[in-house]
Amino acid sequence: MTVRLCQACCQWVWTKNERCPGCDDAVSEYIDPVDVARQVRSTVGEVVGKIGHVRIHRKRLPADGILYETQNGLFFLPHRNVTVKRLVEENSSSPFWTIAGILWSPLIFLLPFLKKQRLRETDVQESQPVRLTGTDLQLLPDLLPRMPGALFISVGDIQKIRLKGQRWVIRRFAGGETTIEALAAEPFRVRMEGLLSSDSWRMVSDWQ
């Protein structure tokens, strides 16, 4: 199985036989990011703003990211993995003292004073949010084909939204369910309830 962008669903999916498991549409192996961004721009619409940090429950795709409100739906932009330099402690004490401490228990209390710590610079993989502000928010459609794990859910594709604790379960007419967990529950809930009460979302009347 390979991960590819389904342009019909506007999301990255794990697929085999070159078909999307959600909508059964054909998924191309090779895409032109510029052409895809141009095609989905009108589908996504203008970006209104950030709703909050979330975690999407799914397998083998980035889970943590930021959910945005757009003119036509919801856009999830996953965090990116970056390599950064970090200083880590390296224990340089002789193994003799550790063995001696095990064999003769009073030495255990002296081990922290006998150990010499030194710092070593190393490469560490970290997950970091892609922070967009101002006019840069309108770059979201350009990032959809460039960041595996990104997805867009059109308001017209949503059949039902259920709130279960801190999780928002979005059922689509095609493509099954998407479960979104808010990492800052109360502020996220306020923004989502405001969104669902707006005129453009009144068609999604079945939510609770």
Side-chain angles (χ1 to χ4, degrees), residues 129-205:
V130 179
R131 302 189 184 279
L132 301 175
T133 58
T135 57
D136 288 344
L137 287 172
Q138 307 311 320
L139 296 175
L140 277 180
D142 299 294
L143 296 177
L144 179 65
R146 301 177 187 275
M147 294 195 67
L151 69 87
F152 173 73
I153 304 176
S154 170
V155 61
D157 291 338
I158 298 176
Q159 180 183 17
K160 182 179 182 180
I161 296 180
R162 302 192 320 275
L163 177 58
K164 301 174 64 176
Q166 298 180 16
R167 299 182 180 184
W168 298 76
V169 182
I170 302 175
R171 175 174 287 278
R172 307 170 76 166
F173 287 105
E177 291 185 344
T178 300
T179 300
I180 299 175
E181 179 182 354
L183 299 184
E186 192 55 33
F188 187 89
R189 177 171 182 154
V190 171
R191 296 189 187 101
M192 278 294 290
E193 288 184 351
L195 172 64
L196 294 170
S197 300
S198 64
D199 291 338
S200 57
W201 282 77
R202 291 194 185 279
M203 65 180 69
V204 187
S205 57

Side-chain angles (χ1 to χ4, degrees), residues 83-145:
T83 302
V84 296
K85 298 287 187 181
R86 288 286 183 264
L87 293 176
V88 297
E89 287 188 351
E90 190 176 63
N91 186 6
S92 60
S93 64
S94 169
F96 167 79
W97 293 108
T98 302
I99 297 172
I102 295 173
L103 296 177
W104 190 39
S105 57
L107 275 179
I108 291 178
F109 300 101
L110 297 177
L111 286 180
F113 303 98
L114 297 173
K115 291 181 179 179
K116 295 181 180 179
Q117 301 293 336
R118 64 181 180 183
L119 298 178
R120 176 174 57 86
E121 188 177 67
T122 187
D123 290 336
V124 177
Q125 286 285 327
E126 289 187 357
S127 177
Q128 294 182 354
V130 179
R131 302 189 184 279
L132 301 175
T133 58
T135 57
D136 288 344
L137 287 172
Q138 307 311 320
L139 296 175
L140 277 180
D142 299 294
L143 296 177
L144 179 65

